Each structure stands twice: as C-alpha cells, then as structure tokens.
Amino acid sequence: MLDAMARKTANDDPLAPVTLAVGQEDLLLDRAVREVVSAARAADADTDVRDLTPDQLQPGTLAELTSPSLFAERKVVVVRNAQDLSADTIKDVKAYLGAPAEEITLVLLHAGGAKGKGLLDAARKAGAREVACPKMTKPADRLAFVRGEFRGLGRSATPEACQALVDAVGSDLRELASAAAQLVADVEGTIDEAVVGRYYTGRAEASSFTVADRAVEGRTAEALEALRWSLATGVAPVLITSALAQGVRAIGKLSSARGGRPADLARELGMPPWKIDRVRQQMRGWTPDGVAVALRAVAEADAGVKGGGDDPEYALEKAVVTIARAARSRGRG
C-alpha cells in the first residue's frame, strides 16, 4: 500500500490514500480539500465526506471512520488543524498512515510549524501527497497568485493588469480570486490594465495611484484619462495630489540612492522591493531638474485643491501634464 501511495503521490493524484495540506492560507487549504472531495465524488457520487476539527477526532474515532463498510463506500476524512490533535489521537493517525484503508482518502490540514511536527514528519515519511498552502505575505507572492488564477481560468492577463488588480484589491486571497473570476466572466479577450481600472477604479487609493503611475511614466493622455475617471467616480482630489507627490518623491529618492539590490534599497528608502523594481522602470526619462519641476507642480496642485484656487480639476490636470513632460525631460535634453 505504501508503494501505491508513493506512486500516486508522484502523479499528484487527489485520490492518493493520504493528502497532507501544509500551511496557514485558508483559501489554499480549502481548495486542497475541495480538490480531493471533487475527485472522490467524480469517482463515486455517493462519497461520504467527514470534515472534523481536533476536538471531534477523539482516540478511536479514526478507527471507526475507516473500518471496512458492508457497502464498501468511498469516504473522505478531513482533519483540520491536525497540529492540535491530542497525543493519543496522533498515535491513532500514525498507525493508520502505516496501513491506509481502501476506498478511503485521509486529508490532514497542518499549519506547518513546530507544533505537531511529529505527525507532519510521519505523514511525509509514509509518502503522503503534499499540497503547499503557505501564507502569502509578500506582494510578489500575491502577484504570482493572481497570474496563476488567470492561467487556471484559461485566460491571459497582462503583467500590468495583474499588478493593478493586486494594488486595487489588496492582500486577501479570497477577494483576489473572486476579482479574477469576475473579470474572466465579464470580459472577453486579454485582460489588460484598462479593464482592471474600469472595474476597480472606484477604490480611491488604487485609482489615485493609477493617475500617478501614468504621469511619472510620461504617458500624458492615459494619465489625464485616469484623472478624469477618478474625479468622475468621486475620488477626492487631495488623494490624487498625495499619490502624485509619492510617485515623484519615489523617483527622486531612487535616482539619488546608491545602486544595490532591490531588497537593500527597499530598506534604505522605506519602500517594498517590488516598488523599487517598478520605480526603476518609471525613472528612465527623468533628470534632477525634472524632479524639481514636478515637485513644484505637485505643491501648486495641492494648494489649488485645498482652497488656494478656483478650479481643483484644472489644478490637477496642469500638474499631471507638467509631471508627464518632466518624465520625458532626459529625452528632450
């Protein structure tokens, strides 16, 4: 049976006798369970699924659940937070790992830390199929997750669209997955940044930074379009001037910083590493004089939107145009 388990693991068969889902990302843990249950029900629509917490799996319970049935029914037994099982129950599970029952799939969800490591090691030694479910704390991980979501849904999305979605929706994987699925359902063809902007520009922070990104990249027409859309959807002008200021200051900081790896620069400048990479791409046309001109334009716009002028929209448009021109100052020089 262990040889059979190892072979199935090599093929990543969801119906392997034991699946070990390791990590603390709830969405990925739930998906690991759903994949096994779906495969089992595809093989037998009457599959019995038991989803248990540690307090529900008492000593002897696993033996009862996995004992041969008169009807030889297929069964999936899911054990959540396996690291919290009692010592006696862990003994039961370890014994079961040595001789898994036919037609039964055991799914162990384990946080992956030091607690309950003996059970984790035993499941791995027994050749359990393993699914990694790590907590995604880094922006780069969430970006890779979004790319994977679009691939899994059979659709292509530009790198800019994936980044825009992460910027707009945030760090919650369930929300990111839902947003990707919504876009795929509603939009035909390749999903690009403009599409993401139309759907999620109502999120003030995201749309403000879209204006700033396009301006510091020297893309005047796109920056003005994003600005008008933001204002039309009710984004406060002060949020836009703040985003413009951050965008220009980031260019200035990075252009005056010593060279080095993104991680080192990130610590020095107080930016996440992914932003260092983005700003490096944005700063190609900039000069020190251009940064100075852009900062003055931001200051004037800020005064204009805070009551120093009669037309906040005009003040913002003027700042956007000035910043975009400054972004191309090296090319003109």
Side-chain angles (χ1 to χ4, degrees), residues 18 21 23 51 68 70 88 127 140 175-176 190-191 196 206 219 235 238 244 269 330:
V18 180
D51 198 324
L70 181 64
D88 287 338
E175 287 194 22
L176 285 169
T190 299
I191 294 163
V196 175
R219 294 154 67 175
V235 176
V238 69
L244 289 170
L269 302 178
R330 191 183 300 279

Side-chain angles (χ1 to χ4, degrees), residues 30-60:
D30 287 346
R31 284 185 173 180
V33 172
R34 196 160 64 240
E35 182 186 20
V36 172
V37 171
S38 297
R41 286 187 168 151
D44 179 355
D46 295 325
T47 294
D48 180 23
V49 178
R50 303 295 180 91
D51 198 324
L52 306 169
T53 56
D55 61 313
Q56 294 172 314
L57 194 67
Q58 298 297 321

Side-chain angles (χ1 to χ4, degrees), residues 313-325:
E313 289 188 24
Y314 173 72
L316 285 169
E317 285 189 8
K318 184 179 175 185
V320 164
V321 171
T322 302
I323 292 167
R325 282 179 180 161

